[in-house]
Amino acid sequence: MDDSDRIPGDSADGVRPARARGRAKGAGTGARVGPLSPVWAAVPSVVGLVLAIPAAVEAFGTAADARGPGYLVPLLFYLALLAGGYSLGRLAQMSLAAARWDVEAQDGVPSRRVMGAHSMHATWVAGVGGSLLLMGALGMWSALDGGISGLEPGFSMIVAGAVTGLLGMALGRWTTDRWQQHVEHDERLQKQARERRLSDPLGRIREASRDSRQDSGPSS
C-alpha cells in the first residue's frame, strides 16, 4: 500500500494538513492496527479466499454428469468477496474517515491525493458488482434455455451484483461530496482568518511581508 491509499488515522506522513503538519490531532496518533487500518479491510478478502478453495474443489471435483444447476454460484460469490472485499472494506473506512474529519480540530484537510484515494476502490467495487450481475444474467438465460451452465437460476447474483455496484458508487459519491464540504469549510476558515489579520494594521503589514516572501522565494 502506498501513501495514496492512506487515510487519516493510519500513520502520519502524507495525510496531515499542510498548514499543521505534526500538529494535527488524530492524524498520526493511532496505532498501526487501528480501526482504520487496511489490515481490517483485508479480512473480507481473506474470508473469501478461505471459502473459495473448498467451493472450487466441490464444484470441479464433481463428475460432469452429476453436476446440478447452480453448482458454480457459491464459488462465484466467494470469488467476488475475494476480489472486492478489500476495496469495499477500504471504501467503508475512507467514508468513515471523511465523516469523522473535523477541519477546525485537525487545522485543515489532508492532501487531495488522500481525499481522492477512495475513488479507485469505489470503481473496483462497482466493477465486481457489475461482473456478478452479468453472471446472474447469463444464469437466467441458461435457465430459460433449459441447459446447465452452473449459473442458474441467476437471480441471486443479479440482486447481489446490483446491490454491490450501487453501494460502491453511492459510497464513492458520498465520500467525494463529504471531502468537498470539508475543503469548502477550510477555505472559509482561511478567508475569515485572513480578514481578521487584515483588520489589524500590524496584521496587514505582516500579511504583506508574508506575501512578498512567498513571491520572492522561488527566485531566491
Short mmCIF file of all heavy atoms in Angstrom, two decimals, residues 100-165:
data_model
loop_
_atom_site.label_atom_id
_atom_site.label_comp_id
_atom_site.label_asym_id
_atom_site.label_seq_id
_atom_site.Cartn_x
_atom_site.Cartn_y
_atom_site.Cartn_z
N ARG A 100 -15.79 11.56 9.95
CA ARG A 100 -15.27 11.93 11.27
C ARG A 100 -14.32 13.12 11.22
O ARG A 100 -13.96 13.66 12.27
CB ARG A 100 -14.54 10.74 11.88
CG ARG A 100 -15.46 9.60 12.28
CD ARG A 100 -14.68 8.36 12.65
NE ARG A 100 -13.65 8.62 13.65
CZ ARG A 100 -12.78 7.72 14.08
NH1 ARG A 100 -12.81 6.50 13.60
NH2 ARG A 100 -11.86 8.05 14.98
N TRP A 101 -13.88 13.53 10.05
CA TRP A 101 -12.88 14.59 9.96
C TRP A 101 -13.44 15.91 10.47
O TRP A 101 -14.56 16.31 10.14
CB TRP A 101 -12.42 14.75 8.52
CG TRP A 101 -11.22 15.65 8.39
CD1 TRP A 101 -11.23 16.97 8.08
CD2 TRP A 101 -9.85 15.29 8.59
NE1 TRP A 101 -9.94 17.47 8.07
CE2 TRP A 101 -9.08 16.46 8.39
CE3 TRP A 101 -9.22 14.10 8.92
CZ2 TRP A 101 -7.70 16.45 8.50
CZ3 TRP A 101 -7.84 14.10 9.03
CH2 TRP A 101 -7.11 15.26 8.82
N ASP A 102 -12.66 16.58 11.28
CA ASP A 102 -13.03 17.88 11.84
C ASP A 102 -12.00 18.90 11.37
O ASP A 102 -10.85 18.87 11.80
CB ASP A 102 -13.06 17.80 13.37
CG ASP A 102 -13.63 19.07 14.01
OD1 ASP A 102 -13.40 20.16 13.47
OD2 ASP A 102 -14.30 18.95 15.05
N VAL A 103 -12.41 19.79 10.50
CA VAL A 103 -11.48 20.75 9.89
C VAL A 103 -10.85 21.65 10.94
O VAL A 103 -9.65 21.94 10.89
CB VAL A 103 -12.21 21.59 8.83
CG1 VAL A 103 -11.31 22.71 8.31
CG2 VAL A 103 -12.66 20.71 7.68
N GLU A 104 -11.64 22.09 11.92
CA GLU A 104 -11.10 23.00 12.93
C GLU A 104 -10.15 22.27 13.87
O GLU A 104 -9.09 22.78 14.20
CB GLU A 104 -12.25 23.65 13.69
CG GLU A 104 -13.13 24.54 12.79
CD GLU A 104 -14.20 25.25 13.60
OE1 GLU A 104 -13.88 25.78 14.68
OE2 GLU A 104 -15.35 25.27 13.16
N ALA A 105 -10.54 21.07 14.31
CA ALA A 105 -9.68 20.33 15.23
C ALA A 105 -8.40 19.87 14.55
O ALA A 105 -7.33 19.88 15.16
CB ALA A 105 -10.44 19.11 15.79
N GLN A 106 -8.51 19.47 13.27
CA GLN A 106 -7.33 19.00 12.53
C GLN A 106 -6.57 20.15 11.88
O GLN A 106 -5.51 19.94 11.30
CB GLN A 106 -7.76 18.00 11.44
CG GLN A 106 -8.61 16.85 11.95
CD GLN A 106 -7.85 15.91 12.85
OE1 GLN A 106 -6.66 16.06 13.05
NE2 GLN A 106 -8.54 14.92 13.41
N ASP A 107 -7.13 21.37 11.96
CA ASP A 107 -6.48 22.55 11.41
C ASP A 107 -6.25 22.41 9.90
O ASP A 107 -5.16 22.69 9.40
CB ASP A 107 -5.17 22.85 12.12
CG ASP A 107 -4.67 24.27 11.83
OD1 ASP A 107 -5.48 25.07 11.33
OD2 ASP A 107 -3.50 24.56 12.09
N GLY A 108 -7.26 21.94 9.20
CA GLY A 108 -7.15 21.85 7.75
C GLY A 108 -7.68 20.54 7.22
O GLY A 108 -8.42 19.82 7.89
N VAL A 109 -7.30 20.23 5.99
CA VAL A 109 -7.71 18.99 5.34
C VAL A 109 -6.47 18.26 4.84
O VAL A 109 -5.42 18.86 4.67
CB VAL A 109 -8.66 19.28 4.14
CG1 VAL A 109 -9.99 19.81 4.61
CG2 VAL A 109 -8.00 20.24 3.15
N PRO A 110 -6.57 16.93 4.61
CA PRO A 110 -5.43 16.20 4.07
C PRO A 110 -5.15 16.62 2.63
O PRO A 110 -5.86 17.45 2.06
CB PRO A 110 -5.87 14.74 4.14
CG PRO A 110 -7.06 14.72 5.04
CD PRO A 110 -7.70 16.05 4.90
N SER A 111 -4.15 16.02 2.03
CA SER A 111 -3.83 16.31 0.63
C SER A 111 -4.96 15.81 -0.27
O SER A 111 -5.72 14.92 0.11
CB SER A 111 -2.52 15.63 0.23
OG SER A 111 -2.70 14.22 0.20
N ARG A 112 -5.07 16.38 -1.45
CA ARG A 112 -6.12 15.97 -2.39
C ARG A 112 -5.93 14.51 -2.80
O ARG A 112 -6.90 13.82 -3.11
CB ARG A 112 -6.13 16.88 -3.62
CG ARG A 112 -6.63 18.28 -3.30
CD ARG A 112 -6.94 19.07 -4.56
NE ARG A 112 -7.51 20.36 -4.23
CZ ARG A 112 -8.81 20.59 -4.01
NH1 ARG A 112 -9.65 19.57 -4.07
NH2 ARG A 112 -9.25 21.79 -3.73
N ARG A 113 -4.70 14.04 -2.83
CA ARG A 113 -4.46 12.65 -3.19
C ARG A 113 -5.09 11.72 -2.15
O ARG A 113 -5.71 10.71 -2.50
CB ARG A 113 -2.96 12.37 -3.28
CG ARG A 113 -2.62 10.95 -3.69
CD ARG A 113 -1.14 10.73 -3.80
NE ARG A 113 -0.46 10.90 -2.53
CZ ARG A 113 0.83 10.70 -2.34
NH1 ARG A 113 1.59 10.35 -3.36
NH2 ARG A 113 1.38 10.86 -1.15
N VAL A 114 -4.95 12.07 -0.88
CA VAL A 114 -5.55 11.26 0.18
C VAL A 114 -7.07 11.36 0.12
O VAL A 114 -7.77 10.35 0.26
CB VAL A 114 -5.03 11.71 1.56
CG1 VAL A 114 -5.81 11.04 2.68
CG2 VAL A 114 -3.55 11.39 1.68
N MET A 115 -7.59 12.56 -0.11
CA MET A 115 -9.03 12.73 -0.15
C MET A 115 -9.67 12.00 -1.34
O MET A 115 -10.83 11.64 -1.30
CB MET A 115 -9.38 14.23 -0.20
CG MET A 115 -9.13 14.95 1.09
SD MET A 115 -9.77 16.65 1.09
CE MET A 115 -8.60 17.44 -0.04
N GLY A 116 -8.89 11.78 -2.41
CA GLY A 116 -9.44 11.11 -3.58
C GLY A 116 -9.09 9.65 -3.69
O GLY A 116 -9.47 9.00 -4.67
N ALA A 117 -8.42 9.10 -2.67
CA ALA A 117 -7.96 7.71 -2.75
C ALA A 117 -9.12 6.72 -2.79
O ALA A 117 -8.97 5.60 -3.27
CB ALA A 117 -7.06 7.38 -1.57
N HIS A 118 -10.29 7.13 -2.31
CA HIS A 118 -11.44 6.22 -2.28
C HIS A 118 -12.00 5.94 -3.66
O HIS A 118 -12.68 4.93 -3.86
CB HIS A 118 -12.55 6.83 -1.41
CG HIS A 118 -13.11 8.08 -2.01
ND1 HIS A 118 -12.50 9.31 -1.86
CD2 HIS A 118 -14.20 8.29 -2.79
CE1 HIS A 118 -13.20 10.22 -2.50
NE2 HIS A 118 -14.23 9.63 -3.07
N SER A 119 -11.75 6.84 -4.62
CA SER A 119 -12.39 6.70 -5.94
C SER A 119 -11.97 5.41 -6.64
O SER A 119 -12.79 4.76 -7.31
CB SER A 119 -12.06 7.91 -6.81
OG SER A 119 -10.66 8.03 -7.00
N MET A 120 -10.71 5.00 -6.48
CA MET A 120 -10.24 3.76 -7.10
C MET A 120 -10.99 2.56 -6.53
O MET A 120 -11.42 1.67 -7.27
CB MET A 120 -8.74 3.61 -6.87
CG MET A 120 -8.16 2.29 -7.36
SD MET A 120 -6.44 2.07 -6.87
CE MET A 120 -6.61 1.94 -5.08
N HIS A 121 -11.16 2.54 -5.21
CA HIS A 121 -11.85 1.42 -4.57
C HIS A 121 -13.33 1.41 -4.96
O HIS A 121 -13.91 0.33 -5.14
CB HIS A 121 -11.68 1.50 -3.06
CG HIS A 121 -10.27 1.35 -2.60
ND1 HIS A 121 -9.60 0.14 -2.67
CD2 HIS A 121 -9.38 2.24 -2.10
CE1 HIS A 121 -8.37 0.30 -2.20
NE2 HIS A 121 -8.22 1.56 -1.85
N ALA A 122 -13.94 2.59 -5.06
CA ALA A 122 -15.35 2.65 -5.46
C ALA A 122 -15.53 2.09 -6.87
O ALA A 122 -16.49 1.35 -7.13
CB ALA A 122 -15.84 4.09 -5.39
N THR A 123 -14.62 2.42 -7.76
CA THR A 123 -14.70 1.92 -9.13
C THR A 123 -14.54 0.40 -9.16
O THR A 123 -15.26 -0.30 -9.89
CB THR A 123 -13.62 2.58 -10.00
OG1 THR A 123 -13.81 4.00 -10.00
CG2 THR A 123 -13.70 2.08 -11.43
N TRP A 124 -13.61 -0.11 -8.37
CA TRP A 124 -13.37 -1.56 -8.35
C TRP A 124 -14.58 -2.31 -7.79
O TRP A 124 -15.00 -3.34 -8.33
CB TRP A 124 -12.13 -1.87 -7.53
CG TRP A 124 -11.78 -3.33 -7.53
CD1 TRP A 124 -11.98 -4.22 -6.52
CD2 TRP A 124 -11.18 -4.07 -8.60
NE1 TRP A 124 -11.54 -5.47 -6.88
CE2 TRP A 124 -11.05 -5.41 -8.16
CE3 TRP A 124 -10.74 -3.72 -9.88
CZ2 TRP A 124 -10.51 -6.40 -8.95
CZ3 TRP A 124 -10.19 -4.71 -10.68
CH2 TRP A 124 -10.08 -6.04 -10.21
N VAL A 125 -15.17 -1.80 -6.70
CA VAL A 125 -16.35 -2.44 -6.12
C VAL A 125 -17.50 -2.45 -7.11
O VAL A 125 -18.20 -3.46 -7.27
CB VAL A 125 -16.76 -1.72 -4.82
CG1 VAL A 125 -18.12 -2.21 -4.33
CG2 VAL A 125 -15.72 -1.94 -3.73
N ALA A 126 -17.69 -1.32 -7.81
CA ALA A 126 -18.75 -1.27 -8.82
C ALA A 126 -18.48 -2.27 -9.94
O ALA A 126 -19.41 -2.91 -10.46
CB ALA A 126 -18.86 0.14 -9.38
N GLY A 127 -17.21 -2.46 -10.30
CA GLY A 127 -16.86 -3.42 -11.34
C GLY A 127 -17.13 -4.85 -10.92
O GLY A 127 -17.63 -5.66 -11.71
N VAL A 128 -16.81 -5.18 -9.66
CA VAL A 128 -17.09 -6.52 -9.15
C VAL A 128 -18.60 -6.77 -9.12
O VAL A 128 -19.08 -7.85 -9.50
CB VAL A 128 -16.48 -6.71 -7.74
CG1 VAL A 128 -16.95 -8.01 -7.11
CG2 VAL A 128 -14.96 -6.68 -7.82
N GLY A 129 -19.34 -5.77 -8.69
CA GLY A 129 -20.80 -5.90 -8.69
C GLY A 129 -21.35 -6.09 -10.09
O GLY A 129 -22.24 -6.92 -10.31
N GLY A 130 -20.80 -5.35 -11.05
CA GLY A 130 -21.24 -5.50 -12.43
C GLY A 130 -20.94 -6.89 -12.98
O GLY A 130 -21.73 -7.45 -13.75
N SER A 131 -19.81 -7.45 -12.59
CA SER A 131 -19.45 -8.80 -13.04
C SER A 131 -20.42 -9.84 -12.50
O SER A 131 -20.85 -10.76 -13.21
CB SER A 131 -18.01 -9.14 -12.61
OG SER A 131 -17.08 -8.25 -13.19
N LEU A 132 -20.78 -9.69 -11.21
CA LEU A 132 -21.76 -10.61 -10.63
C LEU A 132 -23.11 -10.49 -11.33
O LEU A 132 -23.77 -11.49 -11.61
CB LEU A 132 -21.94 -10.29 -9.14
CG LEU A 132 -21.11 -11.08 -8.12
CD1 LEU A 132 -21.47 -10.63 -6.71
CD2 LEU A 132 -21.30 -12.57 -8.28
N LEU A 133 -23.49 -9.25 -11.61
CA LEU A 133 -24.76 -9.03 -12.30
C LEU A 133 -24.77 -9.68 -13.67
O LEU A 133 -25.75 -10.32 -14.08
CB LEU A 133 -25.02 -7.52 -12.41
CG LEU A 133 -26.43 -7.06 -12.74
CD1 LEU A 133 -26.66 -5.65 -12.21
CD2 LEU A 133 -26.70 -7.07 -14.24
N LEU A 134 -23.67 -9.58 -14.38
CA LEU A 134 -23.56 -10.20 -15.71
C LEU A 134 -23.65 -11.73 -15.61
O LEU A 134 -24.34 -12.37 -16.41
CB LEU A 134 -22.25 -9.79 -16.37
CG LEU A 134 -21.94 -10.43 -17.73
CD1 LEU A 134 -23.04 -10.08 -18.75
CD2 LEU A 134 -20.57 -9.98 -18.24
N MET A 135 -22.96 -12.30 -14.62
CA MET A 135 -23.03 -13.75 -14.42
C MET A 135 -24.45 -14.19 -14.10
O MET A 135 -24.93 -15.24 -14.56
CB MET A 135 -22.09 -14.18 -13.29
CG MET A 135 -20.61 -14.03 -13.60
SD MET A 135 -20.04 -15.09 -14.96
CE MET A 135 -19.93 -13.87 -16.28
N GLY A 136 -25.15 -13.36 -13.32
CA GLY A 136 -26.53 -13.68 -13.00
C GLY A 136 -27.42 -13.63 -14.23
O GLY A 136 -28.31 -14.49 -14.40
N ALA A 137 -27.18 -12.65 -15.09
CA ALA A 137 -27.98 -12.56 -16.32
C ALA A 137 -27.73 -13.78 -17.21
O ALA A 137 -28.66 -14.33 -17.82
CB ALA A 137 -27.63 -11.28 -17.06
N LEU A 138 -26.48 -14.23 -17.28
CA LEU A 138 -26.17 -15.43 -18.05
C LEU A 138 -26.84 -16.66 -17.44
O LEU A 138 -27.28 -17.56 -18.15
CB LEU A 138 -24.66 -15.63 -18.11
CG LEU A 138 -23.87 -14.60 -18.94
CD1 LEU A 138 -22.37 -14.85 -18.81
CD2 LEU A 138 -24.30 -14.65 -20.40
N GLY A 139 -26.91 -16.68 -16.10
CA GLY A 139 -27.57 -17.79 -15.44
C GLY A 139 -29.05 -17.84 -15.75
O GLY A 139 -29.62 -18.93 -15.98
N MET A 140 -29.71 -16.68 -15.76
CA MET A 140 -31.13 -16.65 -16.10
C MET A 140 -31.35 -17.07 -17.55
O MET A 140 -32.31 -17.79 -17.87
CB MET A 140 -31.69 -15.24 -15.85
CG MET A 140 -31.71 -14.83 -14.40
SD MET A 140 -32.71 -13.36 -14.08
CE MET A 140 -34.36 -14.01 -14.30
N TRP A 141 -30.46 -16.64 -18.42
CA TRP A 141 -30.55 -17.03 -19.82
C TRP A 141 -30.39 -18.54 -19.96
O TRP A 141 -31.14 -19.20 -20.70
CB TRP A 141 -29.47 -16.30 -20.63
CG TRP A 141 -29.55 -16.51 -22.12
CD1 TRP A 141 -30.54 -17.16 -22.81
CD2 TRP A 141 -28.62 -16.05 -23.08
NE1 TRP A 141 -30.28 -17.14 -24.15
CE2 TRP A 141 -29.10 -16.47 -24.35
CE3 TRP A 141 -27.42 -15.35 -23.02
CZ2 TRP A 141 -28.42 -16.19 -25.53
CZ3 TRP A 141 -26.76 -15.07 -24.21
CH2 TRP A 141 -27.24 -15.48 -25.44
N SER A 142 -29.44 -19.10 -19.23
CA SER A 142 -29.22 -20.54 -19.27
C SER A 142 -30.43 -21.29 -18.75
O SER A 142 -30.82 -22.33 -19.29
CB SER A 142 -27.98 -20.90 -18.45
OG SER A 142 -27.80 -22.29 -18.39
N ALA A 143 -31.03 -20.78 -17.65
CA ALA A 143 -32.20 -21.44 -17.09
C ALA A 143 -33.37 -21.42 -18.07
O ALA A 143 -34.09 -22.42 -18.22
CB ALA A 143 -32.60 -20.77 -15.78
N LEU A 144 -33.57 -20.31 -18.75
CA LEU A 144 -34.65 -20.22 -19.73
C LEU A 144 -34.38 -21.13 -20.93
O LEU A 144 -35.32 -21.65 -21.54
CB LEU A 144 -34.81 -18.77 -20.19
CG LEU A 144 -35.33 -17.78 -19.14
CD1 LEU A 144 -35.29 -16.36 -19.67
CD2 LEU A 144 -36.75 -18.16 -18.71
N ASP A 145 -33.11 -21.32 -21.24
CA ASP A 145 -32.72 -22.15 -22.37
C ASP A 145 -32.83 -23.64 -22.05
O ASP A 145 -32.81 -24.49 -22.95
CB ASP A 145 -31.29 -21.80 -22.80
CG ASP A 145 -30.93 -22.42 -24.14
OD1 ASP A 145 -31.77 -22.37 -25.06
OD2 ASP A 145 -29.82 -22.96 -24.26
N GLY A 146 -32.90 -23.95 -20.77
CA GLY A 146 -33.02 -25.34 -20.36
C GLY A 146 -31.70 -26.07 -20.19
O GLY A 146 -31.68 -27.27 -19.89
N GLY A 147 -30.58 -25.38 -20.35
CA GLY A 147 -29.27 -26.01 -20.20
C GLY A 147 -28.75 -25.86 -18.78
O GLY A 147 -29.37 -25.22 -17.92
N ILE A 148 -27.59 -26.46 -18.52
CA ILE A 148 -26.95 -26.36 -17.21
C ILE A 148 -25.57 -25.73 -17.41
O ILE A 148 -24.66 -26.35 -17.95
CB ILE A 148 -26.81 -27.74 -16.55
CG1 ILE A 148 -28.19 -28.34 -16.26
CG2 ILE A 148 -26.00 -27.62 -15.25
CD1 ILE A 148 -28.12 -29.70 -15.60
N SER A 149 -25.46 -24.48 -17.01
CA SER A 149 -24.18 -23.78 -17.10
C SER A 149 -23.51 -23.66 -15.74
O SER A 149 -22.35 -23.27 -15.64
CB SER A 149 -24.38 -22.39 -17.69
OG SER A 149 -25.17 -21.59 -16.81
N GLY A 150 -24.27 -23.96 -14.69
CA GLY A 150 -23.75 -23.79 -13.33
C GLY A 150 -24.08 -22.44 -12.74
O GLY A 150 -23.76 -22.18 -11.58
N LEU A 151 -24.72 -21.56 -13.51
CA LEU A 151 -25.02 -20.22 -13.04
C LEU A 151 -26.49 -20.04 -12.68
O LEU A 151 -26.90 -18.95 -12.28
CB LEU A 151 -24.65 -19.19 -14.12
CG LEU A 151 -23.20 -19.22 -14.62
CD1 LEU A 151 -23.04 -18.24 -15.78
CD2 LEU A 151 -22.24 -18.88 -13.49
N GLU A 152 -27.28 -21.09 -12.83
CA GLU A 152 -28.71 -20.99 -12.60
C GLU A 152 -29.01 -20.82 -11.09
O GLU A 152 -28.23 -21.31 -10.26
CB GLU A 152 -29.41 -22.25 -13.13
CG GLU A 152 -29.19 -22.50 -14.61
CD GLU A 152 -27.86 -23.21 -14.86
OE1 GLU A 152 -27.26 -23.70 -13.88
OE2 GLU A 152 -27.45 -23.26 -16.02
N PRO A 153 -30.13 -20.19 -10.70
CA PRO A 153 -31.06 -19.52 -11.60
C PRO A 153 -30.63 -18.12 -12.00
O PRO A 153 -31.20 -17.49 -12.86
CB PRO A 153 -32.35 -19.48 -10.78
CG PRO A 153 -31.87 -19.39 -9.37
CD PRO A 153 -30.60 -20.18 -9.30
N GLY A 154 -29.61 -17.59 -11.31
CA GLY A 154 -29.04 -16.29 -11.68
C GLY A 154 -29.63 -15.11 -10.96
O GLY A 154 -29.00 -14.05 -10.87
N PHE A 155 -30.84 -15.25 -10.41
CA PHE A 155 -31.50 -14.11 -9.78
C PHE A 155 -30.71 -13.60 -8.57
O PHE A 155 -30.57 -12.39 -8.37
CB PHE A 155 -32.92 -14.48 -9.36
CG PHE A 155 -33.68 -13.37 -8.72
CD1 PHE A 155 -34.16 -12.31 -9.49
CD2 PHE A 155 -33.91 -13.35 -7.34
CE1 PHE A 155 -34.86 -11.27 -8.89
CE2 PHE A 155 -34.59 -12.32 -6.75
CZ PHE A 155 -35.08 -11.27 -7.52
N SER A 156 -30.20 -14.53 -7.75
CA SER A 156 -29.47 -14.12 -6.55
C SER A 156 -28.22 -13.33 -6.91
O SER A 156 -27.86 -12.36 -6.23
CB SER A 156 -29.11 -15.34 -5.71
OG SER A 156 -28.30 -16.24 -6.46
N MET A 157 -27.54 -13.72 -7.98
CA MET A 157 -26.34 -13.00 -8.39
C MET A 157 -26.68 -11.62 -8.97
O MET A 157 -25.93 -10.66 -8.80
CB MET A 157 -25.54 -13.83 -9.39
CG MET A 157 -24.80 -15.00 -8.77
SD MET A 157 -23.57 -15.73 -9.86
CE MET A 157 -24.64 -16.46 -11.10
N ILE A 158 -27.82 -11.55 -9.66
CA ILE A 158 -28.24 -10.24 -10.17
C ILE A 158 -28.50 -9.27 -9.03
O ILE A 158 -28.06 -8.12 -9.04
CB ILE A 158 -29.50 -10.40 -11.06
CG1 ILE A 158 -29.14 -11.07 -12.37
CG2 ILE A 158 -30.16 -9.05 -11.31
CD1 ILE A 158 -30.32 -11.32 -13.29
N VAL A 159 -29.21 -9.74 -8.01
CA VAL A 159 -29.51 -8.89 -6.85
C VAL A 159 -28.22 -8.49 -6.13
O VAL A 159 -27.99 -7.31 -5.83
CB VAL A 159 -30.47 -9.60 -5.88
CG1 VAL A 159 -30.64 -8.79 -4.60
CG2 VAL A 159 -31.82 -9.83 -6.55
N ALA A 160 -27.35 -9.48 -5.85
CA ALA A 160 -26.11 -9.19 -5.14
C ALA A 160 -25.21 -8.26 -5.94
O ALA A 160 -24.60 -7.34 -5.40
CB ALA A 160 -25.37 -10.50 -4.84
N GLY A 161 -25.14 -8.48 -7.25
CA GLY A 161 -24.32 -7.63 -8.09
C GLY A 161 -24.83 -6.20 -8.16
O GLY A 161 -24.05 -5.24 -8.08
N ALA A 162 -26.15 -6.06 -8.28
CA ALA A 162 -26.73 -4.72 -8.34
C ALA A 162 -26.53 -3.97 -7.02
O ALA A 162 -26.15 -2.78 -7.02
CB ALA A 162 -28.22 -4.81 -8.67
N VAL A 163 -26.75 -4.67 -5.90
CA VAL A 163 -26.57 -4.02 -4.60
C VAL A 163 -25.11 -3.62 -4.38
O VAL A 163 -24.82 -2.51 -3.93
CB VAL A 163 -27.05 -4.97 -3.47
CG1 VAL A 163 -26.64 -4.42 -2.11
CG2 VAL A 163 -28.55 -5.14 -3.53
N THR A 164 -24.20 -4.52 -4.74
CA THR A 164 -22.77 -4.23 -4.55
C THR A 164 -22.33 -3.06 -5.42
O THR A 164 -21.63 -2.15 -4.95
CB THR A 164 -21.93 -5.47 -4.90
OG1 THR A 164 -22.31 -6.56 -4.06
CG2 THR A 164 -20.44 -5.18 -4.71
N GLY A 165 -22.73 -3.07 -6.68
CA GLY A 165 -22.34 -1.98 -7.57
C GLY A 165 -22.90 -0.65 -7.13
O GLY A 165 -22.19 0.37 -7.12
#
